[in-house]
Amino acid sequence: MSQDQLHRYLFEEYEVRGELVQLDQTFRHIVDAQSYPLQVQALLGELLVATSLLVATLKFEGSITVQLQGDGPVKLAVINGDHNQHLRGVARVEGTLPAEADIHSLIGNGQLIITITPEQGERYQGIIALSEPTLAGCLEAYFAQSEQLPTRLWIRTGMQDGEPKAAGIMVQALPAQSEDHEADFDHLVQLTNTIKDEELFTLPAEEVLYRLYNQDKVRLFEPQPVAFHCTCSRERCQNALLQVGKEEALDIVREHGQIDMHCDYCGSHYLFDGVDVESLFKVVPANDTNQLH
């Protein structure tokens, strides 16, 4: 089956639309970058699924950051992405994690922050209280308040055949045109409630939708690929060293033998020795001051 895809679908007889996302490699890249405890892996997986669904729902061109932050043992959990469904994530953990972890015991007193930076237009930030026991519940409350559209989310994470899995479904009412829209939406929610983790993790999207809604007419659109994508690079590290300054950079090399710049998102290491530093800070020609040598 083809994984790491987001599928949009529409119920032709109801004023309701849906999204289904299944993530394998994208989630694996994130959890493999660091040795996260299982509770944190699950939280990042939920946040990853939620971000992918939000990207498809909000319909913008630009970048998005969805982060949980608070005073609990997980100080920060964040997913960065863009409208192309290029996603990456990281978490910061301090202290002892509870064995039976939910969003409140992990994050503590905190909030969910959604930041959208469009390629054109103004930056938007929404702050969501952690008023529900699950991330899905918090997002449902957000949609009810901000979009005023009934929305339900099913977000699942776990292990399948020894591999981390993350997947989710969103069902959202369209602006109502008929008197029966509430009953129609409730009907579809009840059907979606029957989804099993194994089905969502292992079956093709078409089969999942058939099992859930085989009595209803569903129009499935072309899927959008989802992929892990990290924006780190050696050039970015060089620019950071230029900000540090030559003498301080050389002091680090003398003390440690080299400069090791590590990316928490993907686990990459960018190494610079004394020769690299000297080369980086060489005086460039006056007519080419923006170029690195």
Side-chain angles (χ1 to χ4, degrees):
M1 65 178 293
S2 178
Q3 289 283 26
D4 291 86
Q5 290 185 333
L6 182 132
H7 300 260
R8 297 177 178 87
Y9 56 97
L10 188 68
F11 294 94
E12 297 189 350
E13 296 178 340
Y14 308 124
E15 292 143 355
V16 180
R17 67 186 192 88
E19 297 168 5
L20 187 156
V21 67
Q22 297 168 308
L23 303 169
D24 282 350
Q25 294 183 3
T26 308
F27 186 31
R28 194 176 306 127
H29 272 296
I30 291 174
V31 299
D32 285 350
Q34 296 195 39
S35 299
Y36 293 114
L38 291 177
Q39 304 97 312
V40 179
Q41 287 188 28
L43 184 65
L44 280 170
E46 290 187 19
L47 206 59
L48 178 67
V49 170
T51 304
S52 180
L53 294 172
L54 283 170
V55 167
T57 302
L58 299 175
K59 297 179 181 178
F60 66 96
E61 291 190 0
S63 62
I64 185 171
T65 298
V66 182
Q67 65 185 58
L68 287 161
Q69 62 182 41
D71 61 5
V74 180
K75 301 300 180 186
L76 174 72
V78 59
I79 300 293
N80 302 125
D82 61 25
H83 62 279
N84 292 315
Q85 292 281 353
H86 292 161
L87 305 172
R88 65 176 188 165
V90 71
R92 301 274 186 265
V93 182
E94 298 178 14
T96 304
L97 296 169
E100 298 295 329
D102 60 18
I103 192 170
H104 295 291
S105 61
L106 291 175
I107 301 299
N109 294 315
Q111 54 196 1
L112 175 66
I113 303 172
I114 301 172
T115 305
I116 298 172
T117 306
E119 293 179 352
Q120 297 182 349
E122 295 184 359
R123 183 170 174 264
Y124 164 83
Q125 187 170 81
I127 300 177
I128 304 168
L130 302 183
S131 57
E132 302 295 329
T134 65
L135 177 61
C138 294
L139 286 169
E140 289 168 0
Y142 165 76
F143 276 108
Q145 294 171 8
S146 66
E147 305 291 332
Q148 297 184 339
L149 293 173
T151 305
R152 287 292 307 273
L153 292 100
W154 293 259
I155 299 176
R156 307 288 173 81
T157 65
M159 300 293 290
Q160 188 77 31
D161 298 326
E163 297 290 344
K165 300 283 187 177
I169 297 177
M170 188 196 75
V171 173
Q172 185 176 66
L174 298 172
Q177 301 293 326
S178 69
E179 295 180 357
D180 298 328
H181 67 275
E182 290 187 10
D184 294 340
F185 183 76
D186 290 342
H187 161 70
L188 295 172
V189 166
Q190 291 177 14
L191 292 178
T192 315
N193 272 333
T194 65
I195 189 66
K196 297 180 176 63
D197 288 12
E198 184 177 0
E199 294 173 324
L200 199 51
F201 291 154
T202 62
L203 297 179
E206 294 85 348
E207 188 169 345
V208 172
L209 296 180
Y210 179 79
R211 290 194 180 197
L212 291 176
Y213 315 120
N214 62 80
Q215 299 298 316
D216 299 295
K217 293 182 179 179
V218 178
R219 185 195 312 170
L220 181 62
F221 299 98
E222 285 295 316
Q224 181 178 10
V226 184
F228 176 86
H229 178 72
C230 190
T231 58
C232 74
S233 68
R234 188 172 182 84
E235 182 180 6
R236 284 185 173 226
C237 293
Q238 289 173 333
N239 290 334
L241 289 176
L242 287 172
Q243 299 298 315
V244 169
K246 179 179 179 179
E247 292 308 315
E248 186 173 343
L250 287 174
D251 285 343
I252 297 172
V253 172
R254 282 190 285 269
E255 182 178 354
H256 299 284
Q258 63 183 355
I259 298 172
D260 183 353
M261 303 183 76
H262 174 254
C263 177
D264 290 338
Y265 283 95
C266 68
S268 295
H269 287 265
Y270 299 93
L271 304 178
F272 300 85
D273 59 19
V275 174
D276 296 324
V277 173
E278 290 286 356
S279 177
L280 180 62
F281 284 92
K282 277 184 179 178
V283 177
V284 298
N287 63 350
D288 198 20
T289 55
N290 291 324
Q291 296 299 314
L292 292 176
H293 287 261

